[in-house]
Amino acid sequence: MKRALSALLLIASLTGCATSWVVDSDVKSFSSLGPVPPGATYRFDRLPSQQADGARQDSLEAMAAAALDKVGLRRDDTHPQYNAQIGARVTAGLSPWADPWLYDGPWGYGWGGGYGYYGRRWYGGGWYGGPVFAQPSNPWYEREVSIVLREAGSNRVVYETRARNDGPYSSSAAVLPVMFQAALQGFPNPPQGERRVNIELPTARK
């Protein structure tokens, strides 16, 4: 019920003359870093699965680079102090507040139709799963981004962070960059435990 109410409030905020909206991410980070001087350098490190789809990974790395720049890290592929590995997952499924009576059949949807197929988009390595069935008029998107920093010399992990978000908004191009920002909230010494990070985005007036 709480999730349904949040979704309805979000949809209401995106209608009419709304000029901004909030991306809320659940973030959990681990760090063994001390103070990091501004201008510390990094380069991106790709898994084999990420190398296979270079264009998609280029897009993700551009999103992550903007967030890394905001916390004072500078990309330098020649003399990096850190190697940065990033990943992202977007899953489209059925809204948790969709009408359950449309999905009472033995395979998870009603006999009266009104259902559609939603798959999963894989942006990073290591994400697996089967298809998801959902009503096209009630989609729900679950997203997760991750950043792992390793010392370039020792390859020791010194920073790991993940951000999760779900909701009815479909624009991953707008949401994922903000989630990378949320994942780096508090860098290099973030709060312990999972926390909620809200970032407001402007949206066009309707």
Side-chain angles (χ1 to χ4, degrees), residues 6-179:
S6 298
L8 290 172
L9 290 174
L10 175 61
I11 291 175
S13 71
L14 293 177
T15 61
C17 58
T19 58
S20 65
W21 57 293
V22 173
V23 176
D24 53 341
S25 301
D26 294 319
V27 178
K28 194 168 186 179
S29 307
F30 303 89
S31 176
S32 60
L33 289 170
V36 175
T41 57
Y42 73 94
R43 70 179 175 190
F44 287 115
D45 187 22
R46 297 185 180 185
L47 297 170
S49 58
Q50 295 170 332
Q51 295 172 13
D53 195 341
R56 181 172 294 171
Q57 196 65 17
D58 285 343
S59 176
L60 272 181
E61 289 174 359
M63 298 176 187
L68 290 164
D69 182 71
K70 286 180 179 292
V71 298
L73 296 179
R74 180 173 59 86
R75 182 172 179 176
D76 186 340
D77 293 341
T78 305
H79 302 291
Q81 295 170 250
Y82 303 104
N83 292 324
Q85 182 180 309
I86 64 170
R89 171 178 63 87
V90 180
T91 302
L94 174 65
S95 167
W97 45 273
D99 187 350
W101 291 103
L102 294 177
Y103 299 87
D104 59 355
W107 303 108
Y109 49 83
W111 295 108
Y115 63 92
Y117 174 85
Y118 278 74
R120 301 189 179 194
R121 268 187 147 175
W122 313 114
Y123 291 90
W127 303 103
Y128 301 94
V132 176
F133 288 89
Q135 184 180 5
S137 60
N138 289 287
W140 193 261
Y141 300 90
E142 296 181 356
R143 296 177 174 89
E144 181 173 323
V145 302
S146 64
I147 301 175
V148 176
L149 293 181
R150 293 181 170 86
E151 287 181 337
S154 66
N155 208 36
R156 180 174 66 94
V157 174
V158 293
Y159 199 87
E160 178 185 1
T161 184
R162 294 179 182 273
R164 295 181 294 105
N165 167 274
D166 65 280
Y169 31 86
S170 61
S171 179
S172 291
V175 175
L176 291 177
V178 177
M179 291 180 65

